[in-house]
Amino acid sequence: MKIKNDFVEKLNIIRDKRVAVVGAGPNLVSVNKISEDLVISADGATNYLYEHGIIPDIIVTDLDGISVFPEESIYVVHAHGDNISKLYKINNMKIVIGSAQVFPFGNIHLFGGFTDGDRAVILAKLFKAKEIVLYGMDFDSGYVGKYSKPYYEQNLPANWVKRNKLKIAKQIIEQVLSKDL
């Protein structure tokens, strides 16, 4: 991978670290402590972690779940057609790295992934984490965690679209964790 800008070089903090990747699944509420060297949160999981005094080093977000913006975090913001109205949130972020699922250009990068959670795992693997430990990644319960969106008050049954997205995310994560990149 060719490094295109100084912000992406900041992701090298992952190298040789034990990395916790934290998703916003229903089981997130059982997370009280993280002992890994570095924390990468997926979108809305950031809100829970922040409430519990855990500041993620890196936040992977498409902007639909996050409502707190720790100043010291690095943000990998995913652009897609239905989050344009949420782009104002980047004004709260100090270090922003753009990502997309299409051909990269300028300072927009294609790291891979389908959801915020599996993009976070891919980043950890791509930037050579020594170990990746998953928290709050619940692909099989049939529920969406209440921290997935800031307006959810409780865990909700996943609709068929969300169930399929979680199935794809699980497959991606299993493949990424089983291979050397």
Side-chain angles (χ1 to χ4, degrees):
M1 178 180 81
K2 184 176 179 185
I3 303 297
K4 294 184 180 179
N5 65 38
D6 291 340
F7 280 177
V8 173
E9 285 186 26
K10 290 183 182 298
L11 294 175
N12 285 320
I13 65 170
I14 296 169
R15 182 174 297 279
D16 297 324
K17 299 279 189 345
R18 293 179 60 244
V19 175
V21 176
V22 184
N27 57 352
L28 176 60
V29 296
S30 67
V31 176
N32 299 321
K33 180 182 168 196
I34 295 176
S35 61
E36 285 69 29
D37 306 321
L38 188 120
V39 177
I40 302 176
S41 66
D43 204 22
T46 306
N47 305 326
Y48 175 84
L49 293 174
Y50 189 81
E51 286 175 12
H52 289 83
I54 301 169
I55 305 299
D57 299 284
I58 300 169
I59 299 167
V60 177
T61 179
D62 64 359
L63 305 172
D64 65 354
I66 191 170
S67 60
V68 297
F69 305 94
E71 184 176 319
E72 56 271 32
S73 300
I74 298 168
Y75 295 82
V76 178
V77 177
H78 190 71
H80 54 71
D82 65 356
N83 71 346
I84 293 169
S85 67
K86 294 173 178 51
L87 287 176
Y88 69 90
K89 292 182 178 186
I90 65 171
N91 293 321
N92 299 307
M93 304 170 187
K94 187 173 179 182
I95 300 173
V96 178
I97 300 166
S99 75
Q101 287 177 295
V102 295
F103 190 78
F105 62 93
N107 286 327
I108 305 296
H109 304 276
L110 177 57
F111 298 115
F114 182 64
T115 69
D116 295 318
D118 59 81
R119 278 194 295 276
V121 171
I122 288 170
L123 274 181
K125 188 75 169 187
L126 189 61
F127 283 88
K128 308 294 185 201
K130 177 170 46 176
E131 179 183 4
I132 301 169
V133 179
L134 304 180
Y135 294 88
M137 296 282 198
D138 182 347
F139 303 106
D140 300 317
S141 71
Y143 283 86
V144 177
K146 69 179 182 177
Y147 286 93
S148 295
K149 303 283 187 265
Y151 48 86
Y152 287 176
E153 294 181 13
Q154 60 189 14
N155 298 334
L156 300 171
N159 64 29
W160 71 271
V161 171
K162 185 65 172 182
R163 283 193 309 272
N164 285 319
K165 286 177 80 172
L166 290 171
K167 185 185 297 185
I168 292 167
K170 181 180 179 181
Q171 291 171 345
I172 290 170
I173 289 171
E174 287 173 347
Q175 289 178 4
V176 167
L177 293 179
S178 71
K179 297 183 184 200
D180 288 330
L181 296 181

